[in-house]
Structures are given as structure tokens and as C-alpha cells.
């Protein structure tokens, strides 16, 4: 086996005009660290080329804040090909290449030249040398080897068994003492840490569609919870205002229309408005707020779905809404506040172009403007909430960023985030109790053949597995999959998202594997977003409705990852950070290749059940009511093989009275 980069120098890189580029991340290494960083990057390069490449890499590090190794990027667009067109010694080696390439497609990736798939900083791996080596390993891998990838670096192939994972991926896992943004940035610039976000470094991103279904669920439940809308009704005649048309946030206009409502979404970067408009995911765009609210009010009155992009800053938009006393129902924000000082949030008063320039030239002023803008943003939200608008944090660390900008009153305890914030987060109020606690989560599949009719057949097969009368959530999921093709959600390779609980995922996966076995469809990769009942420990987001104090622990996500590896998922991933930032979450995911074999049926039954129910069991132990019910049901259904520990739930009054008395005596 010979896995090395070639001794010949690739051609200098070419950058296609109009393809978005990551901003300069701000070089911040000491002289000694810079030397180490340079030596680190040159580890991938045959020694005869060092003299030639050392200045190039150093220049990238100083001018862009990272060594990306642009010269090693394959020229042109990277696109997922049908799986059989890849080279390899086993199907899983080829399938993993499809997944990686799909994450880097110009139409999918946020900054494809910098290997960023979504969420401002979420990368497939750190640099193009790693990409090339990973591809070589995947071409060489057999059914008796596992590829180990540590923060994008392919450590090597190690012998394993056919039913072990073919790839084990970790990203950005830091020693507790260094587990903070600043130390992470140093590690990333030195070329030893990758920000995997969730499915970016977990190679399971399927384009913005992956988020549309979750956003649709969130909006439907937000409306139903707050405006007395029936479980079987949509959001007709309601207005949703938010910001961001990027990787995930770009799902908002589409999801709002599918939910029957009207959306006005602010976006400062015109290229992102154009992308979503060209895709048909946002219908109208303007920078004139008067025009926008005339369109919106008319559509609300008629009860017609509509989505509008506002080319401008969300704070300006909210100022307009507030001063003109305009009626809106739902309000959120999806700027990249998890990377608020890295360009994720554009401050009021400067354009997107000015923000990029200021980041390069005067970071201190940039940070000051961000804080000022966040404070104003908060004041406007507060006023709108007083007028009856329902605001929810969209898991982007918005409220934490406001707190860090100096607004103490956003914290429940007026000091820090330890007791949460005064506004709800979408998981705390909506996704947690109504989706995750039942085990529902973002199940997804990729038709590796790349054929439209495979996707069509799998959509129909999945729909046939759902009983819309079982629960309200099943009805919403049924409607989603029934209309999925009509809603034109696919960007990149043929893939589908479908929220399902444990039973639903198992039934659908078994059905798909049978279809592969019978030759009705080509091989399929199933997986999920890390944003799931058991995949992520994140107190500001996925575990925001865990209230037994264990939201500071990361046992669940770690156990989920280990259990999935032990049960034979094709690949598993565990990351630091996710959508909320370094040190604030540990999250993991998996991919399972459906090759039609009976062995895979067995993995589906064991591993999918563990993957979902491990999370539900932990939620049940945290005394979450709906999870307790689902766990009791599972204990009855699978009493021969599985058993979940069910908590005794203490009476609130009894505990409160006793504690009150004990504290009174201490005084
Ligand atoms: N959609 C979801 O389900 C979901 C779930 C959890 C977390 N999130 C979080 O949402 C955030 C957004 O994710 P993304 O992938 O879309 O990131 P992104 O960086 O691709 O998109 C954010 C967009 O916000 C725009 N923006 C920044 N400041 C602005 C401002 N002041 N006014 C108007 N527009 C502004 C940016 O130009 C950018 O296009 C992340 O923090 C992510 O972790 C999303």
C-alpha cells in the first residue's frame, strides 16, 4: 500500500469568480507557533517540494489565518458522482467518497474553496492535502480495515472486522483545560484542530433540505403552542420574521411556505439571497421595507404562503417593524452567532462588504460594533415580545452572544447562562418536548446511485411505512414526505430528510435494505443530523430541556457514538462545538450503508434502536414526561432483549416544602 501525495507539484489554484470565499480568520500565532504550524503543514508534502511550498503555505497562514493548501484542491467543481463511478476495493469505501464530495459541491458548500460546508466554519477536513489523502485511503480500504480521521487528519488504516465501522471520525475534541474558543483558534491555525460543526465534518450534510423539515416542525409547533392552532392545522395567515439565508438558515423561507405562512427574512449578503432565489427557495426579494411589508400584509390577509428576502440588516428590519407598529406573529434569528466575532453576525450600520474588510483590518472595532448591534437587537426583540410576538432563539447562541455583549437582563439569574435565558430556545419549548423526547429526529438517506427514480421509489416506500393516525407528529411527517417531491427540496445528490422516531426509522431502513436486496434501487446511505434525541449534549440547544442538572455532562453523546461504533454503523463521528461553538456542545452522528445484505438488517435493528432510544432513555431519566412514556412502551415491546431504567418521579410540592423548611432552619 502506498498512500502519499505525489512528488509532482500540482498546478497553481484557480478561483472561479462568484464562488463565495471564507473571510480571513485573522492570523494570531506567535513566531514559535508559526514555525510549528508550517512544519505541520509540510508533513503532508514530499520533501523535494518543501522549498517551493513553504512560502506559499506561510502566505496562506498569514493572509487567511489558515493553511488550506489551495494548490491541492482538485480543479473545478467537486460533485458527488454515482457510487459505482468511484474507485475502491469495497462499496463502503466508495460510498464515503460520495458523501464527502457532496459536502464540497459549489451548490452545497458555503465556502467550497476552504472546505466549509455550512455554519460559517464547519469543515469537511482542515486542508486539501488531507482531502486528497482521505480519498486515497478510501480507494484502498477493504472490508477488513478502518480509517481513523482525527480533526481531518487521516491517521491511517487499521485492521478491523467486516462488521466494524469503515471510518471513525473525531473533530475538535479538546482537553478540558483548553476547551475554549481562543485555544481552539490557535490549535486550528497550527493545523491540529478542525471545526466539524455537525454533518460537515461528519460527512452527512445533504444540503439545506436537511434543515427544512426541522424548521417546518419548529414553526408548526411554535404556532400551535402560542396561537391556539389545532394539531392538524397549518400556519395560514401568520407572519414569521427572522434573519439568515445561509447554509441552514436558508431553509427558513421554504419551510415557512410549506407550513402555509408568510416569511420575511433579512440577509446582508446578496449572494446568498441570489442562491436561494435561483433555487426557488425564496420567492421575492427587495431592499425596500415598505414594499416588503405591503407584499407580506397582503399575503397574510389572503392566507397565502409567501417568502420574502430583505436585503439588509435584521436590526434595521426590526426597527422598521417596531416604529411602524407592524403585526408579526413569530420572530427568531439565524445569524451565525456561534461565531459572532468571526464574521457570523454582521453589525448594524455597516454593509456585508465593510464587515469583511473590517474583520481583516480592525478586529477590535468590529467586535465593538457587534456588541453594540446585539444590544440594540435585544432591545427591539424585548419591545416586540411585550407587544405579543413569540420570540425563540434558534440554537445559534444568539442569547449567549447578547449576554456576552453585556446585556445581563437576558439571563434568568441576571448574571450568567447557568439558569438559562428569559426567552425560550426552540429546543427548550418546541423540539425538546414535542419531537426529541418522543425519539423523533432528522433521519435521512442518500440514494448513492444518484438516480431520481431511486429517490422517488424510496419516498413512496417511506410514506407507506408511516401511520398518519398514530400521533400528530406522524401526520406532519406523512404530509412532509407526501409533498417532498412537489416541494423540490433536493440540492446536490439525491437525498431525503424525514423526521422519524425509533420504530419509524427501523421500519423504513429495513424496507429500503430489502429494496436494495431485490435490485429495485441502488445502494443507500442512511444516517441523521447530529441534532437528534441522543446524538448531542448541548445545554444551549439539544439538551436545553434537560433539567436534572445533567445538561453539563456529555455522557449521552459519547455513549451514543461508542454504541453506534460497537453495533457496526459504517461510519461514526464525534465533534466538539456543533452549531453553538467550542466547549458548548459535544455531538455525534453516523452513516449506515444499506447494501441489501441480511447482516445489515441485523445492524439496523440493533444500532438504530440504540442510537435513538439511548437518547430517549436519558431524557426519561431526566424525568421528561414524554420520554418516560416512550421508554415504558419500549420496555413492554422489547422485554426479551432490552430494558430501560425508569425514574420514580417525586412530588414537587413534597420536595419544595421539605427544602424550604430545611433552608429556613439554616437561616
Ligand atoms: N436551522 C437550524 O435548524 C439550526 C439549528 C441549530 C442552529 N442553527 C444555527 O443557526 C446559525 C445559522 O446557520 P447557517 O448554517 O445558516 O449559517 P450561515 O453562516 O451559513 O448563515 C448565516 C447568515 O446570516 C447572515 N447574517 C449575519 N448577520 C446578519 C445580520 N445582522 N442581518 C442579516 N443577516 C445576517 C449571513 O450573511 C449569513 O448568510 C448557526 O449558528 C447555526 O448553528 C440553525
Amino acid at each position: 500500500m502506498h498512500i502519499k501525495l505525489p512528488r509532482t507539484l500540482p498546478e497553481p489554484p484557480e478561483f472561479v469568480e462568484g464562488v463565495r470565499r471564507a473571510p480571513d480568520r485573522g492570523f494570531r500565532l506567535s513566531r514559535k507557533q508559526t514555525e510549528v504550524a508550517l512544519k505541520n503543514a509540510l508533513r503532508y508534502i514530499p520533501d523535494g517540494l518543501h522549498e517551493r511550498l513553504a512560502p506559499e503555505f506561510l502566505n496562506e497562514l498569514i493572509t487567511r489565518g489558515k493553511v488550506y493548501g489551495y494548490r491541492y484542491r482538485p480543479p473545478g467543481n467537486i460533485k458527488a458522482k454515482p457510487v459505482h463511478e468511484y474507485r475502491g476495493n469495497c462499496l463502503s469505501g466508495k460510498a464515503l467518497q460520495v458523501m464527502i464530495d457532496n459536502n464540497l459541491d459549489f451548490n452545497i458548500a458555503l465556502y467550497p474553496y476552504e472546505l466549509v460546508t455550512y455554519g460559517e466554519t464547519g469543515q469537511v477536513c482542515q486542508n486539501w492535502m488531507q482531502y486528497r489523502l482521505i480519498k486515497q485511503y478510501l480507494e484502498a480500504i477493504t472490508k477488513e480495515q478502518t480509517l481513523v480521521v482525527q480533526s481531518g487528519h487521516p491517521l491511517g488504516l487499521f485492521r478491523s472486522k467486516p462488521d466494524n465501522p469503515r471510518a471513525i471520525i473525531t473533530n475538535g475534541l479538546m482537553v478540558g483545560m483548553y476547551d475554549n474558543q481562543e485555544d481552539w483558534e490557535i490549535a486550528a491555525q497550527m493545523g491540529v484542530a478542525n471545526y466539524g460543526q455537525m454533518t460537515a465534518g461528519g460527512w452527512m450534510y445533504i444540503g439545506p433540505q436537511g434543515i427544512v423539515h426541522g424548521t417546518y416542525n419548529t414553526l408548526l409547533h411554535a404556532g400551535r403552542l402560542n396561537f391556539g392552532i389545532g394539531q392538524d392545522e397549518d400556519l395560514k395567515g401568520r407572519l414569521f420574521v427572522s434573519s439568515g439565508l445561509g447554509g441552514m438558515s436558508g431553509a427558513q423561507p421554504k419551510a415557512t411556505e410549506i407550513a402555509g405562512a408568510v416569511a420575511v427574512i433579512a440577509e446582508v449578503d446578496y449572494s446568498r439571497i441570489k442562491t436561494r432565489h435561483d433555487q426557488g427557495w425564496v420567492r421575492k426579494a427587495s431592499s425596500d421595507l415598505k414594499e416588503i411589508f405591503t407584499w407580506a400584509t397582503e399575503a397574510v390577509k389572503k392566507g397565502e404562503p409567501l417568502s420574502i428576502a430583505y436585503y439588509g440588516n435584521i436590526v434595521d428590519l426590526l426597527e422598521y417593524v417596531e416604529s411602524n407598529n407592524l403585526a408579526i406573529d413569530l420572530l427568531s434569528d439565524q445569524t451565525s452567532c456561534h461565531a459572532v466575532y468571526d464574521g457570523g453576525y454582521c453589525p448594524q450600520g455597516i454593509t456585508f462588504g465593510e464587515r469583511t474588510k473590517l474583520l481583516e483590518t480592525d478586529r477590535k472595532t468590529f467586535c465593538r460594533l457587534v456588541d453594540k448591534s446585539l444590544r440594540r437587537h435585544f432591545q427591539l426583540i424585548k419591545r416586540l415580545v411585550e407587544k405579543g410576538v413569540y420570540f425563540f432563539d434558534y440554537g445559534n447562541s444568539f442569547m449567549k452572544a447578547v449576554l456576552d455583549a453585556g446585556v445581563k437582563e437576558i439571563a434568568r439569574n441576571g448574571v450568567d447562562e447557568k439558569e438559562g435565558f428569559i426567552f425560550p430556545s426552540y429546543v427548550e419549548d418546541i423540539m425538546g418536548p414535542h419531537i426529541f423526547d418522543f425519539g423523533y429526529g432528522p433521519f435521512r438517506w442518500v440514494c448513492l446511485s444518484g438516480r431520481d427514480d431511486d429517490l422517488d421509489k424510496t419516498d413512496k416506500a417511506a410514506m407507506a411505512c408511516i401511520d398518519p393516525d398514530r400521533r400528530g407528529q406522524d401526520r406532519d411527517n406523512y404530509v412532509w414526505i407526501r409533498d417532498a417531491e412537489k416541494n423540490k427540496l433536493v440540492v446536490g445528490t439525491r437525498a431525503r430528510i424525514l423526521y422519524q422516531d425509533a420504530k419509524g426509522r427501523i421500519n423504513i431502513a429495513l424496507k429500503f435494505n430489502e429494496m436494495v436486496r431485490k435490485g429495485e434501487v441502488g445502494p443507500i446511505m442512511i444516517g441523521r443530523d447530529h441534532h437528534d434525541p441522543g446524538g448531542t449534549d448541548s445545554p444551549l440547544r439539544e439538551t436545553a430541556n434537560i433539567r436534572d442538572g445533567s445538561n453539563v455532562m456529555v455522557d449521552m453523546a459519547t455513549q451514543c457514538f461508542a454504541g453506534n461504533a460497537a453495533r457496526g454503523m459504517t461510519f461514526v463521528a464525534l465533534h466538539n462545538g456543533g452549531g453553538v461553538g467550542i466547549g458548548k456542545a459535544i455531538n455525534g452522528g453516523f452513516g449506515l450503508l444499506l447494501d441489501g445484505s441480511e447482516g445489515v438488517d441485523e445492524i439496523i435493528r440493533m444500532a438504530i434502536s440504540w442510537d435513538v432510544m439511548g437518547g430517549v432513555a436519558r431524557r426519561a431519566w431526566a424525568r421528561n414526561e414524554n420520554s418516560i412514556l416512550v421508554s415504558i412502551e419500549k420496555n413492554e415491546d422489547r422485554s426479551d432483549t432490552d430494558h430501560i431504567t425508569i425514574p420514580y418521579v417525586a412530588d414537587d410540592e413534597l420536595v419544595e416544602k421539605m427544602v424550604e423548611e430545611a433552608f429556613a432552619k439554616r437561616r
Side-chain angles (χ1 to χ4, degrees):
M1 212 184 312
H2 179 85
I3 311 276
K4 284 197 182 309
L5 295 181
R7 294 204 159 267
T8 48
L9 193 67
E11 290 297 308
E14 279 180 22
F15 300 101
V16 175
E17 197 61 33
V19 174
R20 279 183 296 271
R21 302 293 307 278
D24 171 11
R25 300 292 181 198
F27 173 65
R28 61 197 68 182
L29 299 185
S30 68
R31 189 176 165 155
K32 191 77 212 150
Q33 286 167 335
T34 309
E35 285 173 16
V36 178
L38 198 54
K39 283 193 242 173
N40 286 351
L42 290 170
R43 284 183 288 196
Y44 295 105
I45 309 297
D47 40 18
L49 300 174
H50 283 195
E51 249 182 80
R52 188 66 205 279
L53 284 172
E56 204 166 299
F57 286 176
L58 185 59
N59 182 49
E60 284 182 18
L61 184 59
I62 291 174
T63 60
R64 305 205 69 87
K66 270 190 181 188
V67 177
Y68 293 107
Y70 289 119
R71 194 183 272 271
Y72 284 91
R73 185 184 186 279
N77 191 5
I78 294 174
K79 264 191 177 311
K81 296 181 284 191
V83 68
H84 292 298
E85 291 180 22
Y86 284 91
R87 281 200 298 260
N89 290 320
C90 64
L91 186 59
S92 34
K94 297 180 192 180
L96 277 158
Q97 295 181 64
V98 177
M99 305 306 292
I100 291 175
D101 284 354
N102 196 48
N103 274 23
L104 290 167
D105 190 323
F106 280 166
N107 291 325
I108 289 183
L110 177 61
Y111 304 129
Y113 289 118
E114 285 79 21
L115 303 110
V116 174
T117 302
Y118 70 98
E120 187 58 33
T121 49
Q123 292 188 208
V124 167
C125 53
Q126 293 182 68
N127 58 53
W128 292 103
M129 292 77 82
Q130 292 177 344
Y131 169 87
R132 288 217 179 195
L133 287 178
I134 289 170
K135 296 284 280 201
Q136 286 184 29
Y137 276 119
L138 291 174
E139 286 173 2
I141 197 168
T142 69
K143 278 185 178 168
E144 296 190 339
Q145 290 166 318
T146 294
L147 173 65
V148 176
V149 182
Q150 295 178 349
S151 267
H153 169 64
L155 192 72
L157 287 184
F158 294 83
R159 181 136 188 236
S160 60
K161 291 193 249 163
D163 59 359
N164 292 159
R166 291 286 74 77
I168 297 186
I169 307 161
T170 53
N171 276 301
L173 300 178
M174 302 195 66
V175 172
M177 186 164 64
Y178 299 103
D179 197 3
N180 60 71
Q181 181 68 16
E182 274 163 38
D183 283 312
W184 180 83
E185 279 168 11
I186 300 289
Q189 299 206 347
M190 290 179 72
V192 295
N194 185 45
Y195 199 81
Q197 251 279 359
M198 293 190 150
T199 51
W203 307 346
M204 244 297 158
Y205 193 65
I206 55 166
Q209 171 191 190
I211 294 296
V212 183
H213 194 181
T215 314
Y216 159 80
N217 277 332
T218 303
L219 292 174
L220 279 179
H221 283 93
R224 288 171 186 165
L225 279 170
N226 291 286
F227 306 119
I229 296 169
Q231 282 303 312
D232 52 351
E233 288 177 72
D234 67 10
L235 299 189
K236 196 171 164 182
R238 299 284 169 176
L239 178 57
F240 171 55
V241 169
S242 186
S243 57
L245 290 173
M248 289 192 269
S249 48
Q252 295 178 105
K254 185 83 188 171
T256 312
E257 284 206 25
I258 298 174
V262 178
V264 176
I265 313 291
E267 170 57 65
V268 287
D269 177 356
Y270 190 74
S271 78
R272 300 186 199 205
I273 294 181
K274 189 169 177 324
T275 304
R276 296 295 172 222
H277 190 257
D278 291 350
Q279 274 167 4
W281 282 39
V282 64
R283 265 204 272 171
K284 286 174 177 258
S286 168
S287 53
D288 179 344
L289 284 165
K290 194 166 169 211
E291 178 177 52
I292 287 174
F293 280 94
T294 309
W295 292 336
T297 316
E298 208 168 293
V300 165
K301 244 188 238 155
K302 287 188 188 154
E304 285 172 359
L306 179 64
S307 56
I308 310 165
Y310 164 57
Y311 178 33
N313 199 298
I314 179 69
V315 186
D316 292 334
L317 187 151
L318 295 184
E319 262 171 7
Y320 183 86
V321 169
E322 215 276 321
S323 58
N324 288 283
N325 233 344
L326 297 171
I328 61 176
D329 300 290
L330 300 168
L331 174 63
S332 194
D333 178 83
Q334 268 201 59
T335 56
S336 273
C337 280
H338 69 276
V340 73
Y341 301 116
D342 274 333
Y345 179 90
C346 179
Q348 186 187 28
I350 60 172
T351 64
F352 181 68
E354 287 162 351
R355 151 266 192 206
T356 309
K357 202 151 187 127
L358 203 58
L359 263 173
E360 274 171 38
T361 55
D362 187 354
R363 233 186 152 76
K364 228 170 140 188
T365 305
F366 177 76
C367 296
R368 192 174 46 73
L369 289 179
V370 165
D371 286 352
K372 188 175 162 212
S373 182
L374 283 168
R375 289 196 292 266
R376 177 81 189 125
H377 200 154
F378 167 76
Q379 289 304 335
L380 288 161
I381 291 173
K382 210 175 104 182
R383 251 178 261 159
L384 290 167
V385 168
E386 281 159 11
K387 289 182 185 174
V389 174
Y390 177 72
F391 171 80
F392 58 99
D393 178 289
Y394 216 119
N396 57 343
S397 274
F398 173 76
M399 294 194 289
K400 174 80 171 84
V402 169
L403 177 70
D404 292 345
V407 183
K408 297 283 183 211
E409 66 171 296
I410 198 165
R412 256 189 218 137
N413 61 8
V415 182
D416 57 29
E417 66 278 6
K418 298 232 168 68
E419 287 171 32
F421 296 98
I422 58 170
F423 302 129
S425 89
Y426 78 121
V427 174
E428 202 174 2
D429 263 29
I430 305 165
M431 294 290 283
H434 299 284
I435 305 289
F436 291 160
D437 284 356
F438 285 95
Y440 290 98
F443 176 65
R444 57 185 52 187
W445 64 93
V446 174
C447 297
L448 296 165
S449 65
R451 289 196 303 256
D452 280 322
D453 65 326
D454 276 13
L455 185 59
D456 188 38
K457 285 179 198 162
T458 51
D459 278 352
K460 291 200 169 84
M463 194 171 99
C465 291
I466 302 176
D467 171 7
D469 297 323
R470 188 174 64 136
R471 285 194 197 115
Q473 291 90 333
D474 295 305
R475 189 170 40 247
D476 292 341
N477 296 337
Y478 181 86
V479 170
W480 168 267
I481 193 71
R482 185 196 65 198
D483 296 345
E485 199 200 339
K486 185 180 86 190
N487 284 323
K488 294 195 176 53
L489 297 155
V490 175
V491 181
T493 196
R494 308 298 101 168
R496 186 65 74 214
I497 171 106
L498 174 61
Y499 268 65
Q500 284 295 288
D501 67 349
K503 275 187 193 163
R505 299 185 211 202
I506 293 170
N507 289 342
I508 293 171
L510 287 171
K511 178 69 197 164
F512 286 180
N513 200 36
E514 183 192 296
M515 290 163 75
V516 178
R517 190 155 48 236
K518 289 183 175 162
E520 292 166 16
V521 291
I524 293 169
M525 183 70 81
I526 60 165
R528 59 164 171 77
D529 192 353
H530 301 193
H531 179 54
D532 201 52
T536 297
D537 276 300
S538 177
L540 299 178
R541 218 169 80 174
E542 285 77 359
T543 42
N545 73 324
I546 298 288
R547 297 191 178 90
D548 67 347
S550 72
N551 61 349
V552 300
M553 311 300 290
V554 293
D555 290 332
M556 177 181 72
T558 316
Q559 285 277 354
C560 182
F561 164 80
N564 281 343
R567 288 173 181 79
M569 294 297 198
T570 310
F571 68 101
V572 288
L574 191 70
H575 303 165
N576 187 356
V580 284
I582 286 293
K584 299 189 186 109
I586 293 291
N587 65 91
F590 74 88
L592 175 61
L593 174 65
L594 306 186
D595 59 4
S597 66
E598 311 268 340
V600 165
D601 281 349
E602 197 52 25
I603 298 176
I604 292 170
R605 288 192 194 95
M606 287 189 304
I608 305 276
S609 172
W610 157 248
D611 181 62
V612 181
M613 291 308 298
V616 174
R618 183 271 177 106
R619 287 165 185 277
W621 190 242
R623 294 186 291 271
N624 289 10
E625 208 178 318
N626 293 329
S627 295
I628 294 178
L629 296 176
V630 175
S631 298
I632 292 173
E633 198 181 290
K634 179 173 155 74
N635 280 354
E636 284 161 9
D637 278 7
R638 305 264 303 244
S639 62
D640 49 338
T641 55
D642 296 14
H643 188 81
I644 293 170
T645 314
I646 307 291
Y648 290 103
V649 179
D651 181 62
D652 285 347
E653 257 181 55
L654 170 90
V655 172
E656 276 164 29
K657 195 164 158 260
M658 284 194 64
V659 173
E660 198 184 313
E661 283 168 11
F663 270 67
K665 275 190 206 143
R666 280 163 62 92
R667 258 183 245 130

